[in-house]
Amino acid sequence: MSAIQTHYRNCNICEAMCGLEIQYQDKEIISIKGDQKDPFSKGHICPKAIALQDFYHDPDRLKKPVKKTADGWVEISWEEAFDEVTTRIKAIQEKYGKNAVGTYLGNPNVHKAGNSLMLPNFIRALKSRNRYSASSIDQLPHHFVSHYMLGHGSLLPVPDIDHTEFLLIIGGNPMVSNGSMMTCPDFAHRMKSIKERGGQVVVIDPRRTETAKKATKHHFIKPERDALLLLAMIHVIFKENLDNLQHLEDHVNGLDEVKSIAQAYSPEVVAPSAGIAAEDIRQLALDFAKAEKACCYSRMGACTQSFGGLNLWLTYVLNIISGNFDQEGGYMFTQPAFDIVKLNSRKNRPDSYKKYASRVWEFPYYNGEFPVATLADEILTSGEGQIKAMVSVAGNPVVTTPNADQLDKAFESLEFYVAVDIYINATTRHADIILPGCTALEIAQYDVSFHNLAVRNTVKYSPPLFEKEDYQKDDWEILQELTARLSDKPIQRMTPEMMLEYGFMSGPHKDKGINLQKLLENPHGIDLGPLQTCLLDRIETSDEKISLAPEAMLEDLPRLKKAMQEDQQTSFSHRLIGRRLLRSHNSWTQNSYRLVKGRNECTLLLHPEDAQAKGIENGDRVEVISAVGKVQIEVEVSDEIMPGVVSIPQGWGQAGKGIRLSVAEGKSGVNMNKLTDHKRIDQLTGNAAVNGVPVNILVTE
Ligand SMILES: Nc1nc2c(c(=O)[nH]1)N[C@H]1C(S)=C(S)[C@@H](COP(=O)(O)OP(=O)(O)OC[C@H]3O[C@@H](n4cnc5c(=O)[nH]c(N)nc54)[C@H](O)[C@@H]3O)O[C@H]1N2
Ligand SMILES: Nc1nc2c(c(=O)[nH]1)N[C@H]1C(S)=C(S)[C@@H](COP(=O)(O)OP(=O)(O)OC[C@H]3O[C@@H](n4cnc5c(=O)[nH]c(N)nc54)[C@H](O)[C@@H]3O)O[C@H]1N2
Ligand code: SF4
Ligand SMILES: [Mo]
């Protein structure tokens, strides 16, 4: 046995990039702790990091390619797997056309450098227009709004949380999620510091969340009515002449248009529909505008709903007109060492929004993709352009995307399906072949996306802790091999490290000597300082001005007005929203016993008044019915949820035929996406509207 050794790396489960200190001996983990010397996370971790060892050792995890046969799954060689996958894909594309092969890319791809860097070439090699990803059930409105206002979908503002004096959080629960589109290790401590320096944190959410409980103030809001609140705040700021764009004064277009639109949305007009009292809205707007440094940050609950695009647009507008955009303590921009904006500049590139419409429902095309909400219909509806085969890479859409049962049937109906995945779960059980990559402890990691979204400029690279076995391949190697075999021309085989080095050499910190060698010499990471005012150097619009009133947003406003008028016309008693649990990450971490043990947290939250009206008691089982499905679930009566709203955690409900997740199956819970309607999307961006879903609740015997 060799001596105990220590390894430092970033946890790559969620977006927070916590530094880990891992003690190990041979292939056994002795301890996983927070790395006190990481200049960014300073020792913080959450319970999920400890489970990295469970995924590494998990006997259910695949390490070799498997093929489905009449006798079940059998292991096959990589050569055989690559041959069969490429032969089948080529045959289907020859027979039905290139678009007959669809792709779905899931969330872990952005948490692995190799995947992020190799996927664009793989997707290009397939030459199919039928591209889908978890982005359209997550953060698409952020990209859309940055694209139209700032000229680039990846030029994304981040709350300068460490300097702000007023943080307004709309539809985010960072106390549990650890922050999203805001890489922010130890949110709890950073939020406490705001309060300690006399600042405020205000949360807008239909649930009094873990974040709301620690905030200075929380307002309930009716689901999907945030755009109204934002419009009313903007209304008040203009009315009181509190608008002040600071250094951006001469760098915006469309200020008068925004001003004139907001005139119609006084706090009194929106209050009944939003469910927040007019005087509270007015006070919030005044407090926000008068704070020295303020930031309005909108996330999942504001994105994955019918007005995601408008919400994000108005969030940017609110920050801009109150002088809090690109200013210390406001909504700021990073200067990452590997600068994905500069490396992929959009200046002078044609706009592809709505270049195509999806075949069955004419949903909008954006950023090279169609909305994932329509994937099942594109597979199930016959005709020219129908999807006959799928490639999924690190995604589990049967659990994570709308109308799960329909998508389950769709995957079952495919002529061919290959999954690049490490588990046989609700989605990949339908695969013909599964190609498994490696897990966190076996890979080198650089957070290509999350350094771009961090609340400080930092940089860190981690080599693998354990060498993979000879018979294993990592995702990037799988993707590169498939790319080579599917391409018409020979490809250049660059490693992720070669690509990173290229990026660092042209990045904003090249003068500080940031390169791979330097990063290897600094295993705790390097701090590059607080966020700086830099937007005017980074903006990508052709006239270098911020577009405050893009056409697309203005055209979407009548839809909001209509929804406001239709508020009372529904035959459903409740609106369903999701929630995240501290010890699970989306749908894939539930096979770690240490993360799922304990009481059942996959419950329906129901307000006491609603429970009483229906004669429901805590612990009762009820049936929840939506336009597309139903589930049976245990009720947790709680006044932390707003009357008229119910909540079920996302990412659960994996049990049944063919699934090989022995721990998760025993703790399976309910899949809330059996209830989410695939036709409910934000019609502006195409993002799925999984929050605010109309449901009825039936008491079962
Ligand atoms: N109703 C509702 N639905 C939601 C949400 C919600 O709030 N409410 N949230 C949405 C959000 S924000 C997201 S991001 C999506 C996530 O949606 P998905 O990305 O579809 O789902 P994940 O649970 O992240 O699934 C990850 C998949 O990758 C596999 N995997 C894990 N690690 C690796 C790896 O290293 N390599 C490979 N090749 N595979 C790996 C897992 O086995 C699993 O199959 O869910 C969305 N769905
Ligand atoms: N523990 C844990 N952490 C995670 C994940 C996980 O599954 N578990 N997933 C990761 C991923 S992929 C992501 S994208 C992030 C998401 O990070 P967050 O956005 O912080 O996470 P959510 O908990 O989904 O927060 C959404 C909030 O919006 C509220 N909400 C729902 N509908 C509405 C509405 O109409 N208006 C308003 N104002 N609020 C609404 C919900 O009650 C909820 O509190 O979390 C990441 N971190
Ligand atoms: S907060 Fe996120 S990055 Fe940090 S330890 Fe937990 S899962 Fe890992
Ligand atoms: Mo996400």
Side-chain angles (χ1 to χ4, degrees):
M1 219 178 226
S2 46
I4 293 176
Q5 288 174 283
T6 307
H7 171 88
Y8 300 98
R9 66 183 303 104
N10 270 359
C11 172
N12 71 336
I13 296 177
C14 87
E15 301 177 31
M17 294 201 305
C18 298
L20 306 179
E21 180 185 287
I22 305 177
Q23 290 211 313
Y24 67 103
Q25 192 168 32
D26 297 319
K27 293 247 158 171
E28 284 307 313
I29 302 288
I30 294 167
S31 68
I32 299 182
K33 295 186 185 139
D35 177 2
Q36 303 291 340
K37 292 194 188 133
D38 183 302
F40 191 35
S41 60
K42 296 183 178 156
H44 174 264
I45 52 167
C46 85
K48 292 190 291 294
I50 324 288
L52 286 173
Q53 58 193 303
D54 301 341
F55 309 130
Y56 177 65
H57 288 300
D58 191 346
D60 286 338
R61 170 165 72 105
L62 301 173
K63 292 186 178 170
K64 293 178 179 168
V66 290
K67 177 178 172 171
K68 195 184 274 157
T69 69
D71 301 322
W73 292 100
V74 292
E75 282 181 1
I76 56 173
S77 72
W78 284 102
E79 193 54 30
E80 188 184 343
F82 287 133
D83 275 349
E84 177 148 355
V85 168
T86 45
T87 308
R88 297 283 304 268
I89 286 178
K90 283 179 183 171
I92 285 173
Q93 289 195 315
E94 226 151 80
K95 187 168 171 196
Y96 303 105
K98 295 282 187 197
N99 296 335
V101 177
T103 48
Y104 174 80
L105 312 181
N107 171 273
N109 288 302
V110 270
H111 295 271
K112 292 180 96 178
N115 298 43
S116 307
L117 296 168
M118 296 299 164
L119 275 166
N121 283 340
F122 170 68
I123 295 290
R124 269 193 287 273
L126 266 180
K127 291 202 176 79
S128 167
R129 197 184 296 160
N130 265 313
R131 302 167 189 164
Y132 303 83
S133 81
S135 287
S136 57
I137 185 157
D138 187 346
Q139 82 290 359
L140 194 66
H142 291 255
H143 300 302
F144 188 88
V145 168
S146 277
H147 172 121
Y148 277 105
M149 295 182 73
L150 311 174
H152 197 297
S154 298
L155 185 55
L156 297 156
V158 180
D160 185 17
I161 184 169
D162 294 339
H163 303 104
T164 198
E165 282 163 19
F166 196 113
L167 182 63
L168 173 60
I169 302 177
I170 303 184
N173 186 13
M175 279 296 288
V176 169
S177 71
N178 291 294
S180 177
M181 307 303 276
M182 167 176 75
T183 286
C184 176
D186 205 355
F187 173 82
H189 176 76
R190 291 174 203 261
M191 172 157 96
K192 201 162 149 234
S193 304
I194 300 177
K195 294 197 288 183
E196 280 169 2
R197 52 181 185 263
Q200 294 187 55
V201 180
V202 179
V203 174
I204 309 290
D205 200 299
R207 181 165 82 88
R208 193 167 62 255
T209 59
E210 294 76 357
T211 309
K213 285 175 191 160
K214 298 269 178 195
T216 28
K217 208 165 188 76
H218 164 240
H219 295 286
F220 283 127
I221 188 166
K222 288 188 192 162
E224 304 195 299
R225 294 295 172 263
D226 306 276
L228 296 173
L229 167 70
L230 286 159
L231 277 164
M233 289 180 70
I234 294 166
H235 171 102
V236 173
I237 291 174
F238 280 129
K239 188 135 194 251
E240 302 295 330
N241 292 319
L242 290 169
D243 52 307
N244 173 1
L245 279 69
Q246 303 280 4
H247 67 305
L248 300 176
E249 194 79 53
D250 297 327
H251 301 276
V252 299
N253 288 320
L255 186 62
D256 290 341
E257 271 144 295
V258 171
K259 210 182 235 180
S260 108
I261 288 162
Q263 256 171 18
Y265 296 89
S266 68
E268 285 70 22
V269 167
V270 307
S273 190
I276 309 183
E279 58 269 30
D280 288 343
I281 299 177
R282 181 161 285 110
Q283 195 57 51
L284 178 60
L286 295 177
D287 290 348
F288 186 86
K290 287 180 181 167
E292 185 84 15
K293 300 170 190 169
C295 177
C296 171
Y297 157 79
S298 298
R299 200 46 282 267
M300 270 298 288
C303 269
T304 45
Q305 53 146 291
S306 304
F307 299 103
L310 288 182
N311 288 337
L312 266 292
W313 167 52
L314 295 165
T315 299
Y316 285 30
V317 169
L318 176 64
N319 285 302
I320 293 168
I321 63 154
S322 59
N324 290 303
F325 209 61
D326 191 35
Q327 283 281 347
E328 189 181 276
Y331 224 6
M332 296 192 83
F333 295 84
T334 52
Q335 289 158 299
F338 185 91
D339 186 348
I340 51 181
V341 173
K342 280 256 156 56
L343 287 167
N344 186 21
S345 175
R346 311 297 304 174
K347 273 190 185 162
N348 308 320
R349 292 232 198 131
D351 186 4
S352 69
Y353 176 49
K354 289 194 175 170
K355 183 172 169 192
Y356 312 105
S358 72
R359 189 173 60 99
V360 180
W361 295 112
E362 299 190 351
F363 285 173
Y365 176 87
Y366 172 68
N367 199 25
E369 292 184 14
F370 290 112
V372 70
T374 198
L375 176 58
D377 281 324
E378 293 294 325
I379 297 174
L380 291 170
T381 312
S382 53
E384 177 84 31
Q386 180 183 7
I387 297 176
K388 298 283 190 180
M390 281 296 295
V391 183
S392 71
V393 186
N396 189 7
V398 167
V399 176
T400 60
T401 72
N403 199 348
D405 286 341
Q406 192 203 18
L407 193 61
D408 194 43
K409 283 194 201 97
F411 268 90
E412 184 55 32
S413 75
L414 290 165
E415 282 188 23
F416 181 66
Y417 167 32
V418 55
V420 180
D421 208 288
I422 55 173
Y423 284 120
I424 303 176
N425 58 27
T427 307
T428 60
R429 67 176 157 151
H430 297 299
D432 296 285
I433 290 184
I434 306 178
L435 307 172
C438 297
T439 59
L441 303 182
E442 301 155 314
I443 60 163
Q445 174 61 354
Y446 177 83
D447 285 283
V448 171
S449 296
F450 303 115
H451 285 301
N452 190 44
L453 295 170
V455 300
R456 262 185 98 80
N457 288 311
T458 62
V459 59
K460 181 167 175 177
Y461 171 86
S462 325
L465 162 55
F466 298 128
E467 282 307 319
K468 63 179 161 58
E469 306 296 337
D470 293 343
Y471 55 81
Q472 285 183 281
K473 287 195 191 294
D474 193 17
D475 289 331
W476 75 265
E477 297 173 288
I478 299 170
L479 294 167
Q480 194 171 65
E481 185 60 31
L482 291 175
T483 308
R485 288 172 183 240
L486 290 165
S487 293
D488 307 332
K489 293 181 267 183
I491 64 156
Q492 222 188 336
R493 290 196 186 243
M494 284 170 78
T495 61
E497 280 68 20
M498 288 156 85
M499 292 163 122
L500 288 172
E501 196 76 296
Y502 172 80
F504 295 145
M505 305 284 277
S506 59
H509 302 288
K510 58 177 183 297
D511 298 344
K512 298 192 187 96
I514 298 296
N515 58 28
L516 269 182
Q517 187 52 39
K518 181 150 178 173
L519 296 186
L520 281 168
E521 288 161 10
N522 289 274
H524 308 287
I526 300 172
D527 183 37
L528 298 169
L531 303 182
Q532 305 286 338
T533 293
C534 63
L535 179 60
L536 296 176
D537 292 333
R538 303 202 68 203
I539 195 158
E540 291 257 320
T541 46
S542 49
D543 60 359
E544 302 197 343
K545 289 196 170 175
I546 301 173
S547 175
L548 272 183
E551 250 342 273
M553 323 305 182
L554 304 188
E555 284 169 7
D556 197 38
L557 276 167
R559 199 166 59 86
L560 178 67
K561 222 175 201 168
K562 193 158 164 253
M564 204 170 146
Q565 284 149 6
E566 286 169 356
D567 265 348
Q568 304 309 322
Q569 304 159 17
T570 170
S571 55
F572 291 94
S573 62
H574 284 76
R575 297 271 171 176
L576 172 69
I577 61 170
R579 69 181 188 274
R580 289 183 146 71
L581 304 178
L582 187 61
R583 293 186 303 137
S584 63
H585 183 84
N586 297 340
S587 76
W588 71 268
T589 54
Q590 287 90 333
N591 218 40
S592 157
Y593 180 68
R594 88 179 74 216
L595 291 184
V596 293
K597 65 181 187 220
R599 80 173 180 96
N600 170 30
E601 289 184 89
C602 191
T603 55
L604 180 85
L605 294 184
L606 182 69
H607 191 272
E609 284 167 20
D610 294 347
Q612 203 184 11
K614 287 188 184 279
I616 296 169
E617 285 184 20
N618 200 41
D620 282 356
R621 283 188 77 76
V622 295
E623 194 161 74
V624 184
I625 305 168
S626 76
V628 299
K630 54 183 166 188
V631 302
Q632 294 213 337
I633 186 167
E634 182 187 324
V635 172
E636 194 174 333
V637 175
S638 164
D639 70 358
E640 72 179 34
I641 192 93
M642 196 176 178
V645 182
V646 288
S647 159
I648 301 179
Q650 58 96 27
W652 291 78
Q654 291 193 89
K657 200 167 148 252
I659 292 176
R660 196 191 292 171
L661 293 168
S662 41
V663 177
E665 276 196 278
K667 286 275 182 180
S668 106
V670 163
N671 180 0
M672 80 166 288
N673 282 320
K674 282 174 184 273
L675 298 169
T676 52
D677 184 344
H678 59 293
K679 286 198 216 146
R680 285 186 99 251
I681 60 161
D682 170 21
Q683 282 161 23
L684 175 60
T685 63
N687 213 43
V690 290
N691 285 301
V693 180
V695 292
N696 279 322
I697 294 152
L698 281 190
V699 183
T700 50
E701 295 319 315

